[in-house]
Amino acid sequence: DDGSGILLGVSAGGEAVGLERAFLTSPLYPPADMLKGILVNAQGRRFVAEDSYHGRTAGFLVKQPDGIGYLILDSEIFGYPPYKFFEQSLVDGFDTIAEMEPRLGLPAGSLVATVDEYNRHARHGEDPEFHKYRDWLKPLDKPPYAAFDLSVGRAKFAGFSLGGLRTSVDSEVQDRDGRCIPGLYAAGA
């Protein structure tokens, strides 16, 4: 996973494509119950369905103002991911959502309003704004509450390219003009 296979293919005449973009991720689960929390930005607003694929969630997170994002949980769904590679820091525990706002630097009343709205819909198994699947909806109403910092530059993210060597449908490596290079094949994730 260090690019040496791509470099080898390029040295044989293959064309590398799709290397201008990266896939980023900072998974917020397992444990799976953490998907029942909400992700908020620096304005205290949700910005993605929390049950999205973690790469999609990270893509939305990096586009938030200043890359700020927090995962908000209540005591019923609190947990720590069981591995260290994708570590996010626990900010703290709080008796109320209102106490959490100033510690996270969120505008006064913003997180309270977001959680109230989310809870109102979650009680009915609905998420009209982001369409989170109903199995992952749960009102956040069991204090104490916790916040994990998923912000860019503070949480650990893994990134890798989605590119590689241009290939035919038969995995034959192709050059810049689309001609197959005899005897050279490539496959990958």
Side-chain angles (χ1 to χ4, degrees), residues 3-20:
S4 59
I6 294 171
L7 291 174
L8 180 63
V10 168
S11 73
E15 181 184 21
V17 295
L19 298 176
E20 68 280 357

Side-chain angles (χ1 to χ4, degrees), residues 7-166:
L7 291 174
L8 180 63
V10 168
S11 73
E15 181 184 21
V17 295
L19 298 176
E20 68 280 357
R21 295 181 303 173
F23 171 88
L24 295 175
T25 186
S26 183
L28 55 99
Y29 61 90
D33 269 357
M34 292 177 83
L35 292 174
K36 295 176 183 174
I38 60 170
L39 284 168
V40 298
N41 61 19
Q43 283 81 41
R45 300 284 177 224
R46 289 176 70 213
F47 55 89
V48 68
E50 295 79 12
D51 61 344
S52 296
Y53 176 63
H54 55 85
R56 181 176 192 273
T57 300
F60 275 89
L61 176 60
V62 300
K63 293 177 183 176
Q64 296 308 301
D66 298 321
I68 302 294
Y70 298 101
L71 174 64
I72 311 301
L73 307 167
D74 71 5
S75 64
E76 226 173 49
I77 56 173
F78 179 82
Y80 282 104
Y83 45 85
K84 291 291 182 184
F85 186 70
F86 296 109
E87 184 177 294
Q88 299 93 2
S89 297
L90 174 66
V91 176
D92 208 344
F94 303 88
D95 291 327
T96 68
I97 296 295
E99 289 176 19
M100 186 183 292
E101 284 178 342
R103 270 297 296 285
L104 300 182
L106 305 178
S110 63
L111 186 59
V112 170
T114 296
V115 171
D116 286 348
E117 181 180 350
Y118 178 79
N119 286 350
R120 185 174 69 252
H121 294 294
R123 284 185 186 93
H124 301 288
E126 300 169 351
D127 181 15
E129 189 172 6
F130 294 103
H131 310 287
K132 184 190 242 185
Y133 187 64
R134 69 180 307 125
D135 288 358
W136 302 114
L137 290 171
K138 177 220 165 306
L140 302 177
D141 56 5
K142 303 287 188 249
Y145 302 94
F148 281 93
D149 191 345
L150 275 64
S151 302
V152 176
R154 296 193 295 235
K156 291 186 180 177
F157 282 75
F160 51 91
S161 166
L162 292 177
L165 295 168
R166 176 191 302 272

